[in-house]
Amino acid sequence: MKNIRNFCIIAHIDHGKSTLADRLLEFTKTIQVTGGQMLDDMDLEKERGITIKSHAIQMEYTYNGEKYILNLIDTPGHVDFSYEVSRSIAACEGALLIVDSTQGVQAQTISNLYMAIEHDLEIIPIVNKCDMINSMPEEVEDEIIELLGCKREEIIRASGKTGMGIEEILAAVIERVPQPKGDEEEPLQALIFDSVFNSFRGIIAYFKIVNGVIRTGDKVKFINTGKEYDADEIGVLKMQMMPKKELRAGDVGYIISGIKTSKEVKVGDTITHISRPAKEAISGFEEVKPMVFAGVYPIEAEDYENLRSSLEKLKLNDASLTFQPESSLALGFGFRCGFLGLLHMEIIQERLDREFDMNVITTVPNVSYQIYDKHGEMTEIHNPGGMPDATLIDHIEEPYIKASVITATDYIGPIMTLCLGKRGELLKQEYISGNRVEIYYSMPLGEIVIDFYDKLKSISKGYASFDYHMEGFRPSKLIKLDILLNGEPVDALSTLTHIDNAYDFGRRMCEKLKELIPRQQFDIAIQAAIGSKIISRETIKAVRKDVTAKCYGGDISRKRKLLEKQKKGKKRMKQIGNVEVPQKAFLAVLKLD
């Protein structure tokens, strides 16, 4: 065990952690790096240049004549995937904290760092991209020293592109990261930190052994679910899976035991032996709390069961996705899904389409609200359709977050205007170094859900970085805004909104829908309503056929007869006609500005 090191890489988006991981793999001769970002194996990750999933890989390295085994986990940098990061951190003893020398410390750097410090990891600070012309290693080192309180000589200067500083990083990992704690004589305790679905082998769970030894063919039990299995195959993760006869305390590996149903594997569960079970499960994993909720419905009703199995398989790969069945008047049966943020929602939608060939309709995302009735009883609702009658409600509470934005001083004005427009309250602002400032706001989560992040990036030319934590619920003046088409409410388009924004939001919604809904043979009225009060209306005019075209001259009554006949037809059509709302209309609501 003294020659095993488990470590992960944490950083803000685009600070070069996947490229640096490539250099480490190349230097230790684990693989031949052919293209960039060898660990990002999903097409989506390659297209967008982001890491969505944590990737574990084992390297071997000889240092001072001794052979060491290094288990590396490359983690995502985006705030929406912070749950992936928290699980990777639980399986490690050390972390490489990478900071881009051209950009300095950013919001996600700080929040990932605090997560690592809470788990008592050994932090190795690295200043990356030092080969670039506009790099400022001195200033960035000052920021890191202020953040970590480390010595300047402990910070390693590196470049993922040229491979500078790679040897020092490997030496630092071996010298500074502690060996895994654990006892091979104790009963088996292994923490599951990830799982994937393989259509041939069933579900593969990735684990880190804390105590004990596991061998191929052992009878094992998952403590939380209470299910028992045979360990058909165990092994370590290189670029492919490498089967081994046994794994000991401190090792990171995988287990295949022919598990078919996804509910039987929970990330954060503990594996132990049936014959000599551990006394307790490993602690340190909290259940994930989704921030954003949206309905996901199959376009064809008969695809409902396929959608369920697709979501279950995705949940194995992404434990932060939660879902439960629900039904809607306009869209039929579907699922209410909980996501960690808007990017997460977009990625899940893309993956459903690509990996499972599922075409889905997604409703307007919203957050969960707590509604108190006149008797003081509280119910939690995730979509406006579940709201009780307005006369029964005493007050509504909505979730608030504490947001921190790090930006250059030039953009403070516009960012403050944006936050105030989203009903934010300024808590404090601190100058980090030179011209960088951190602004703290208390804001309603519902305001950020839709387009806050995109606007923040465009206002600050991409410089500002953003991170948030839940703060609890507060009473708020919220009302339900309904959209009616020909007097029928479309429940998938109804939203809960603050009373000050309702009129403006309703008007913009009607205008947008007028552009997007195709014209029919009859007039369509689009209305926004609060309760029974209509606050805005737009009309889509009917497409009319020129029925009098074939009457040249002649008596006027001939034409009038044709027009009357057409009028009756239109009237009848209006009574039985229904309006199809295209998928673009649901998505357009998100980008109303």
Side-chain angles (χ1 to χ4, degrees):
M1 263 178 70
K2 70 180 201 317
N3 287 9
I4 297 177
R5 299 287 181 270
N6 298 324
F7 67 103
C8 61
I9 302 185
I10 54 177
H12 190 78
I13 319 158
D14 271 351
H15 280 202
K17 56 195 166 310
S18 297
T19 314
L20 204 76
D22 282 355
R23 292 292 84 74
L24 291 169
L25 294 175
E26 203 172 45
F27 193 81
T28 54
K29 301 194 172 52
T30 307
I31 50 166
Q32 290 300 139
V33 175
T34 45
Q37 276 85 9
M38 295 298 290
L39 290 180
D40 293 351
D41 49 11
M42 234 186 282
D43 291 342
L44 260 177
E45 291 180 316
K46 288 184 176 134
E47 275 170 34
R48 292 178 178 234
I50 55 176
T51 305
I52 294 170
K53 187 111 190 67
S54 299
H55 300 276
I57 190 164
Q58 190 181 85
M59 307 183 286
E60 290 174 3
Y61 183 60
T62 309
Y63 178 70
N64 291 347
E66 275 196 70
K67 196 171 173 188
Y68 288 88
I69 288 177
L70 311 177
N71 290 311
L72 154 75
I73 303 180
D74 178 25
T75 64
H78 196 283
V79 62
D80 280 11
F81 304 112
S82 53
Y83 184 62
E84 286 281 333
V85 183
S86 74
R87 301 194 333 233
S88 310
I89 285 174
C92 294
E93 283 83 35
L96 304 182
L97 176 77
I98 294 182
V99 183
D100 184 335
S101 65
T102 62
Q103 298 195 344
V105 171
Q106 292 192 303
Q108 203 53 36
T109 316
I110 296 176
S111 89
N112 286 342
L113 173 70
Y114 287 157
M115 222 188 287
I117 290 173
E118 271 171 36
H119 281 80
D120 289 337
L121 298 198
E122 179 63 39
I123 311 287
I124 300 174
I126 296 167
V127 177
N128 196 16
K129 304 192 186 177
C130 286
D131 60 316
M132 290 180 76
I133 303 163
N134 57 344
S135 77
M136 349 166 255
E138 308 288 331
E139 287 139 57
V140 175
E141 279 175 5
D142 292 342
E143 285 179 23
I144 294 175
I145 291 167
E146 202 168 303
L147 187 67
L148 270 177
C150 60
K151 299 188 181 69
R152 192 178 285 274
E153 54 271 18
E154 286 176 11
I155 302 172
I156 300 170
R157 290 190 187 184
S159 160
K161 200 168 170 186
T162 60
M164 150 190 174
I166 297 295
E167 274 185 76
E168 287 97 89
I169 293 173
L170 287 166
V173 167
I174 289 166
E175 284 168 8
R176 295 194 221 167
V177 175
Q179 67 179 58
K181 299 180 195 69
D183 188 349
E184 293 181 5
E185 304 305 315
E186 291 278 309
L188 173 69
Q189 268 183 317
L191 173 78
I192 299 178
F193 65 89
D194 206 351
S195 58
V196 291
F197 179 79
N198 180 316
S199 44
F200 304 108
R201 313 287 309 263
I203 290 157
I204 304 170
Y206 297 164
F207 60 80
K208 177 201 174 187
I209 303 181
V210 178
N211 290 317
V213 180
I214 185 170
R215 296 181 178 85
T216 309
D218 280 358
K219 299 238 183 302
V220 293
K221 174 172 130 185
F222 289 20
I223 292 182
N224 284 346
T225 56
K227 296 274 198 270
E228 301 181 353
Y229 305 103
D230 291 344
D232 298 336
E233 184 184 309
I234 57 168
V236 294
L237 298 153
K238 295 272 177 101
M239 236 12 219
Q240 275 79 33
M241 295 186 284
M242 306 262 296
K244 293 265 180 170
K245 284 278 177 280
E246 66 169 24
L247 293 174
R248 300 176 164 273
D251 280 331
V252 173
Y254 70 89
I255 177 168
I256 299 177
S257 49
I259 306 169
K260 294 285 184 289
T261 50
S262 54
K263 291 191 184 68
E264 294 177 22
V265 178
K266 273 204 168 64
V267 166
D269 202 347
T270 306
I271 305 175
T272 187
H273 280 131
I274 297 175
S275 54
R276 191 170 156 230
K279 291 183 181 65
E280 55 181 11
I282 304 165
S283 64
F285 249 28
E286 66 277 5
E287 276 291 306
V288 58
K289 291 185 192 68
M291 300 279 182
V292 176
F293 295 89
V296 173
Y297 294 88
I299 288 179
E300 301 295 331
E302 58 263 25
D303 287 343
Y304 176 73
E305 280 305 321
N306 294 350
L307 180 60
R308 181 198 291 275
S309 68
S310 305
L311 282 169
E312 281 180 356
K313 286 172 191 166
L314 254 187
K315 187 172 166 57
L316 281 175
N317 213 323
D318 182 349
S320 50
L321 170 70
T322 58
F323 63 91
Q324 63 204 53
E326 72 161 4
S327 63
S328 135
L329 293 171
L331 300 167
F333 290 102
F335 295 92
R336 186 103 206 130
C337 297
F339 307 99
L340 295 184
L342 271 194
L343 178 72
H344 187 209
M345 176 174 136
E346 208 178 301
I347 294 290
I348 293 287
Q349 225 177 315
E350 277 276 295
R351 288 182 68 181
L352 278 173
D353 186 24
R354 290 182 184 205
E355 295 172 27
F356 303 101
D357 207 16
M358 291 297 312
N359 253 337
V360 293
I361 291 179
T362 315
T363 63
V364 184
N366 51 18
V367 296
S368 57
Y369 297 95
Q370 294 183 348
I371 295 183
Y372 290 84
D373 60 16
K374 296 283 201 292
H375 308 297
E377 285 183 15
M378 189 271 284
T379 45
E380 190 170 291
I381 65 154
H382 297 313
N383 67 341
M387 253 182 95
D389 193 55
T391 52
L392 305 173
I393 297 173
D394 180 52
H395 68 280
I396 303 178
E397 293 192 352
E398 65 173 333
Y400 265 71
I401 57 165
K402 184 180 178 187
S404 83
V405 177
I406 297 182
T407 174
T409 43
D410 316 354
Y411 308 114
I412 291 182
I415 287 175
M416 284 187 162
T417 316
L418 173 68
C419 293
L420 291 171
K422 299 278 185 193
R423 302 190 287 143
E425 299 160 21
L426 181 65
L427 299 174
K428 61 175 179 182
Q429 63 185 64
E430 293 174 349
Y431 283 85
I432 304 176
S433 67
N435 69 335
R436 311 226 357 228
V437 62
E438 185 164 10
I439 314 172
Y440 294 93
Y441 267 93
S442 178
M443 299 169 82
L445 179 63
E447 292 282 339
I448 304 194
V449 157
I450 292 185
D451 55 0
F452 178 78
Y453 194 69
D454 300 345
K455 282 188 177 168
L456 180 72
K457 283 291 182 200
S458 54
I459 284 175
S460 63
K461 301 196 171 72
Y463 270 105
S465 54
F466 166 72
D467 189 40
Y468 59 87
H469 300 284
M470 284 302 288
E471 214 182 24
F473 285 77
R474 291 195 209 169
S476 196
K477 285 186 177 169
L478 297 166
I479 46 174
K480 183 180 172 191
L481 181 75
D482 284 314
I483 298 292
L484 314 175
L485 289 182
N486 276 348
E488 290 291 318
V490 181
D491 58 350
L493 287 173
S494 55
T495 47
L496 272 176
T497 178
H498 194 262
I499 198 158
D500 299 347
N501 305 343
Y503 176 73
D504 184 44
F505 188 68
R507 197 191 73 245
R508 294 203 324 249
M509 196 102 141
C510 289
E511 286 168 3
K512 194 77 184 174
L513 287 172
K514 185 181 177 181
E515 292 169 25
L516 291 168
I517 293 177
R519 288 172 69 182
Q520 308 284 341
Q521 300 270 337
F522 51 92
D523 284 3
I524 304 172
I526 303 171
Q527 295 164 309
I530 298 169
S532 56
K533 182 181 169 196
I534 304 291
I535 56 169
S536 175
R537 168 178 172 136
E538 293 285 337
T539 308
I540 299 176
K541 285 294 179 199
V543 182
R544 288 189 53 186
K545 182 178 170 192
D546 188 358
V547 286
T548 58
K550 60 178 184 277
C551 298
Y552 297 109
D555 190 18
I556 185 72
S557 62
R558 179 94 188 92
K559 288 185 178 174
R560 195 163 288 146
K561 184 181 162 194
L562 285 167
L563 289 169
E564 285 299 321
K565 191 176 165 190
Q566 183 186 34
K567 198 167 163 188
K568 276 187 190 145
K570 295 269 183 226
K571 191 175 171 187
R572 195 167 56 245
M573 212 180 248
K574 188 168 183 173
Q575 285 165 354
I576 58 165
N578 61 353
V579 186
E580 286 281 313
V581 183
Q583 163 75 5
K584 318 200 273 273
F586 294 109
L587 296 175
V589 179
L590 314 185
K591 305 188 171 71
L592 264 182
D593 298 329

